Amino acid sequence: MTTMLFAKALSVERSGQRVLNNVSFKVDQGEVQALLGGNGAGKSTTLLTFLGFLTPASGSAQVQGKESRDDVGAARRAIAYLPEAATLYDHLNAYENLRYFLSLAKADAHRRTLDAALERVALQAEAREMRMHTYSKGMRQKVAIALAILRESPILLLDEPTSGLDPAAIDDFNRLVRELAEDGRTILLVTHDVYGACHVADRIHLLHKGELAGTFDRPSGIDRIDTEAVHAAFATHAAVS
Amino acid sequence: MNGLMSRLFTIARAEWQLWLRQRLALGALLVFALLLVATSLVTALKASQEHHERTHQQAAAEASFLSQPDRHPHRMVHYGHYVFRIPAPLSMIDPGVDSVTGQSMFLEGHQQNTAMFADARASAELGGFENLTTALVYQLFLPLLLIAIGHGLIIREREDNTLAPLLAQGMTGIQLFAAKWMALAGLSLALLLPLAIMGAIAASQGAAVLASAAIIGLYALYVLVWCSLILLVSTCVRSRSIALGILTLCWLAAALIVPRIAVESASSAVPAPSKLETDINMQAELRTVGDGHNADSPNFQQLRANLLAQYDVTRVEDLPVNFRGMVAQSAEAGLTEVMNRHAEERMALEAAQARFAASFGWLSPVLTVSAGSRALAATDLATHHRFLREAEAVRFDFVQGLNRVHAEQLAYRDDINRNRDRQASRRTRMSADNWKVLDEFSFEPAAAGERIANASTPAAMLLAWLLMLTAIGILAARRMQP
């Protein structure tokens, strides 16, 4: 298996504070992994470091075997990143948003290609010409996922992708993530939703105050990670803090 | 390179699309466009009307002078003549100091009538707010519009969480800065279209094409300075309201506070005596020259002796020239020398005050562009001074021309007896053909090359502003983080 993302004894400081301390994990191609933790655990910091927005204080953050800070452009070309709030332009419709971001990423933006991606994320055809400010959070998330699909990036970094979605939308989203992984995409998502992470991820890394507090794997032949074990570990750390 | 330009253009185009779809931005643009069109129309009509009126008045004044009947030439010296400064074609864009200086002058013997400045106040007040002109709209209101529309260009991406995805598409902070700069600069340059149209109209009415192009170039440089400042603040500050506050303060400082400080400082640094003080001093000096109406004055004894010796006669009655006319010529030359010296001193002080005030352009691009704009439009203080000098040259020439007629064509005996002898009085009435000593007055703006040279310092200052702000903006953009 090719290793797509590799955090090696990664430490990061922000505003003089160490927010990530000696964290190590790797994500292979086609895997879905989740970073789970409470607020301030260092989850989003990890993603931003892979993207080259933050520089490690020590250790390394590698994308496709290369240090991201050494070639930020290459790292960002390999990654499709969805921030926490699905950030799209309110004054543009779905097509316009997709075309805008795709043209910046020098990716294909033909109408047929866009429709195919929007079909895949199940965004209603009648909504596609409407401006984004009329969209629900779930609909916006679908457009953002469509963008990630269209970017054809081998790696997806998703920051709190199901936050604020209704249960049906979360189910749709989890299904889509699994499909993308089956297509060979590597997905690292950040969440504090224990249940959702256990259902969608192959492996969960529990982060607490910038340190890796545990790792949970999905046993072979079982469709989810042991929710109770993860929940118990999460609750223990939450209680300690 | 093409790929990069295409990406920058994509972002710029999206920004234009946003402005067109936002009611606030669209409304502000429409209000500004209406203000600009209305002001341009009014300014152009006013300039055209003034051009027509003054051309007509100049012709009428010349016709009136030349149509005077046969009479004693010294009566024509006191009849006098009017000269009018016909507005330069580019004054339809920037009337400059024309609104606070006299546009016509009454020329007569023994006096310089002029509209002189009391101090630098008038020259440095940018024409004043009372007359809204196209130049003022561009100098003061366009930056406000750009601030209102552009202050959130980069902050908005940060506040709306679109900065991270943008940068994650492979854009660098510098590229984003460049793209947003392109968006704002594109809008700014599009808003210069009415100015370009006015420049073309002025060119069609006789303005030098080079000067018209230069004035458009100068304003382009000026709006780009504001674009860079707005982008710099939008890059460095993290809240739209704070950016708006900072930029509004910058505008207040550049448009109102620094110009006021510049004017007050110029008045203090280069003190100029009041008009009354100058006039009193000048009158005292003029009295030493002597009254040209009194040929027996001791001031002209030397002239009398010189003429008698030159023509080898013993009495002024035997001179081949009219002694009274010679006295009038001598007195006028003496008075003019004194008056010109005082006028030159005063103009030098005004120019020094204006130069001192202009040095504040390093603190305010508004001051800088207004100085350059006036120089290119030929509505600056230097042009006004040139008008005063050229008018004075006309005055001196026609007065001395009439005095020459007095000296060479009018018999001295008739001259001294004209109030006692009707026949002598009739003979002192010189033919009206002699009034043709009056030259036609046509004040033309300086050549385009000279005006461009005069505007080169303000243009260089604006360029320095632009390079400095853009360089700082690029440095700030290099560190751009979501």
Side-chain angles (χ1 to χ4, degrees):
Chain A
M1 274 292 187
T2 310
T3 297
M4 303 298 279
L5 295 169
F6 186 20
K8 188 176 173 188
L10 180 63
S11 298
V12 178
E13 291 181 354
R14 295 179 89 167
S15 308
Q17 295 276 328
R18 181 152 291 208
V19 290
L20 208 58
N21 189 27
N22 199 31
V23 169
S24 296
F25 67 90
K26 63 177 184 175
V27 189
D28 289 336
Q29 186 180 11
E31 275 189 332
V32 179
Q33 293 196 14
L35 297 176
L36 186 69
N39 291 336
K43 310 183 296 289
S44 299
T45 297
T46 309
L47 300 193
L48 294 177
T49 309
F50 278 123
L51 281 161
F53 288 133
L54 299 172
T55 306
S58 63
S60 72
Q62 295 174 13
V63 176
Q64 291 184 309
K66 287 181 187 167
E67 199 65 46
S68 64
R69 67 179 158 190
D70 291 344
D71 191 350
V72 172
R76 290 180 190 171
R77 275 192 295 278
I79 294 171
Y81 168 59
L82 267 73
E84 181 174 352
T87 45
L88 298 157
Y89 291 96
D90 280 347
H91 66 286
L92 303 178
N93 63 33
Y95 290 121
E96 289 168 337
N97 263 296
L98 292 176
R99 277 199 199 99
Y100 178 65
F101 282 105
L102 290 171
S103 63
L104 295 182
K106 300 177 200 164
D108 184 21
H110 287 106
R111 174 75 171 236
R112 207 176 305 156
T113 319
L114 303 186
D115 273 328
L118 291 169
E119 285 293 337
R120 191 165 179 193
V121 297
L123 183 76
Q124 307 92 304
E126 59 272 21
R128 295 172 196 172
E129 300 273 12
M130 290 160 63
R131 290 195 197 161
M132 208 54 59
H133 66 84
T134 62
Y135 277 35
S136 68
K137 185 167 183 195
M139 290 164 79
R140 296 167 77 95
Q141 200 69 296
K142 286 177 178 176
V143 179
I145 298 283
L147 175 61
I149 294 169
L150 288 160
R151 279 279 311 271
E152 295 183 344
S153 308
I155 302 165
L156 267 70
L157 301 185
L158 314 176
D159 195 347
E160 303 285 5
T162 55
S163 162
L165 296 188
D166 60 50
I170 291 173
D171 283 347
D172 284 347
F173 175 79
N174 288 343
R175 177 187 49 77
L176 191 58
V177 167
R178 291 305 321 173
E179 283 177 15
L180 291 171
E182 282 161 19
D183 289 349
R185 309 281 182 103
T186 304
I187 297 161
L188 177 64
L189 61 92
V190 154
T191 184
H192 50 242
D193 171 19
V194 175
Y195 181 82
C198 289
H199 275 76
V200 76
D202 298 309
R203 177 176 288 175
I204 291 173
H205 305 283
L206 183 60
L207 284 174
H208 179 68
K209 291 186 174 174
E211 296 191 351
L212 199 55
T215 297
F216 303 87
D217 285 323
R218 182 153 57 107
S220 59
I222 297 178
D223 66 350
R224 64 182 174 85
I225 295 171
D226 183 354
T227 312
E228 285 179 12
V230 177
H231 202 277
F234 190 40
T236 304
H237 287 293
V240 169
S241 63
Chain B
M1 192 62 188
N2 282 342
L4 174 64
M5 282 311 291
S6 156
R7 295 168 87 192
L8 299 187
F9 186 69
T10 298
I11 293 179
R13 196 176 48 201
E15 209 60 52
W16 296 328
Q17 204 169 14
L18 170 67
W19 291 333
L20 285 176
R21 289 180 181 181
Q22 273 182 340
R23 284 185 193 157
L24 188 66
L26 197 58
L29 275 170
L30 284 175
V31 168
F32 179 79
L34 280 174
L35 177 69
L36 193 57
V37 168
T39 309
S40 301
L41 274 176
V42 169
T43 317
L45 285 174
K46 195 175 162 201
S48 168
Q49 189 183 7
E50 283 177 359
H51 187 280
H52 180 262
E53 274 177 10
R54 289 184 206 157
T55 307
H56 172 74
Q57 285 164 344
Q58 186 65 68
E62 280 163 8
S64 170
F65 187 90
L66 294 174
S67 68
Q68 289 304 301
D70 297 355
R71 55 171 55 163
H72 191 286
H74 200 73
R75 285 190 64 193
M76 287 305 289
V77 167
H78 284 287
Y79 179 78
H81 175 52
Y82 278 96
V83 288
F84 293 86
R85 181 178 163 189
I86 293 163
L90 281 173
S91 70
M92 72 167 65
I93 291 173
D94 190 349
V97 298
D98 286 10
S99 56
V100 289
T101 58
Q103 295 298 310
S104 63
M105 224 159 102
F106 179 59
L107 310 180
E108 59 178 330
H110 333 315
Q111 290 218 63
Q112 274 184 356
N113 300 312
T114 181
M116 299 285 279
F117 291 118
D119 57 24
R121 204 175 301 267
S123 67
E125 265 193 354
L126 313 175
F129 270 108
E130 67 277 12
N131 293 322
L132 197 56
T133 64
T134 307
L136 272 182
V137 171
Y138 276 109
Q139 288 167 15
L140 300 180
F141 296 113
L142 182 54
L144 273 183
L145 174 76
L146 295 180
I147 288 170
I149 289 181
H151 72 278
L153 271 169
I154 288 177
I155 302 171
R156 193 189 63 241
E157 303 283 3
R158 198 188 294 282
E159 285 186 347
D160 295 351
N161 286 323
T162 43
L163 184 58
L166 268 181
L167 296 177
Q169 307 306 313
M171 295 288 295
T172 65
I174 293 175
Q175 287 169 2
L176 188 60
F177 181 90
K180 297 287 186 175
W181 191 90
M182 266 175 65
L184 196 58
L187 173 74
S188 310
L189 296 179
L191 289 170
L192 290 181
L193 188 64
L195 182 73
I197 292 170
M198 291 195 73
I201 293 171
S204 74
Q205 293 180 357
V209 175
L210 209 56
S212 299
I215 207 165
I216 296 162
L218 185 82
Y219 278 95
L221 210 50
Y222 173 67
V223 294
L224 294 183
V225 167
W226 279 102
C227 290
S228 288
L229 176 66
I230 292 165
L231 255 296
L232 169 63
V233 173
S234 193
T235 304
C236 296
V237 175
R238 296 203 165 234
S239 143
R240 261 183 274 195
S241 55
I242 293 174
L244 190 58
I246 290 173
L247 287 166
T248 306
L249 277 178
C250 289
W251 179 85
L252 279 172
L256 301 175
I257 299 168
V258 174
R260 171 58 58 191
I261 292 171
V263 171
E264 297 302 334
S265 306
S267 297
S268 305
V270 188
S274 68
K275 178 85 168 67
L276 183 64
E277 206 178 329
T278 308
D279 285 351
I280 289 170
N281 290 338
M282 191 170 72
Q283 287 302 329
E285 205 174 331
L286 287 176
R287 275 194 289 276
T288 65
V289 175
D291 180 2
H293 299 102
N294 179 11
D296 295 328
S297 163
N299 296 80
F300 307 113
Q301 288 306 311
Q302 188 59 49
L303 175 67
R304 178 192 297 259
N306 290 347
L307 285 169
L308 293 176
Q310 182 185 346
Y311 292 103
D312 194 21
V313 293
T314 54
R315 298 185 315 154
V316 289
E317 287 83 350
D318 298 332
L319 284 170
V321 289
N322 183 334
F323 180 61
R324 282 190 164 187
M326 297 304 287
V327 165
Q329 278 192 69
S330 170
E332 194 63 41
L335 293 174
T336 301
E337 191 276 324
V338 172
M339 291 188 296
N340 279 352
R341 182 156 36 79
H342 280 272
E344 287 297 335
E345 281 170 7
R346 181 145 199 93
M347 285 191 278
L349 281 175
E350 287 167 4
Q353 286 182 333
R355 273 196 305 277
F356 190 91
S359 66
F360 280 75
W362 289 112
L363 299 176
S364 162
V366 178
L367 264 181
T368 315
V369 76
S370 63
S373 172
R374 287 195 301 262
L376 288 168
T379 55
D380 57 349
L381 184 62
T383 305
H384 176 64
H385 284 167
R386 200 161 60 79
F387 168 69
L388 297 181
R389 290 190 184 100
E390 288 190 15
E392 169 54 23
V394 167
R395 185 199 73 82
F396 185 69
D397 282 352
F398 94 79
V399 169
Q400 290 298 63
L402 291 167
N403 286 337
R404 207 160 34 251
V405 171
H406 187 176
E408 294 171 2
Q409 297 184 31
L410 201 154
Y412 178 71
R413 196 174 301 278
D414 290 338
D415 204 11
I416 57 174
N417 291 322
R418 72 177 189 274
N419 293 328
R420 291 190 289 272
D421 178 348
R422 187 170 288 180
Q423 289 302 315
S425 173
R426 192 181 52 76
R427 284 194 296 275
T428 60
R429 289 183 198 148
M430 294 287 99
S431 160
D433 286 346
N434 289 302
W435 311 159
K436 289 176 185 165
V437 293
L438 181 73
D439 286 335
E440 274 186 21
F441 183 75
S442 172
F443 182 76
E444 294 291 334
E450 187 183 333
R451 281 185 273 157
I452 290 170
N454 291 340
S456 61
T457 303
M461 286 163 97
L462 285 176
L463 190 62
W465 269 96
L466 178 62
L467 293 176
M468 181 189 70
L469 291 170
T470 309
I472 299 173
I474 288 171
L475 284 176
R478 276 179 65 186
R479 293 195 293 269
M480 197 183 290
Q481 292 281 339

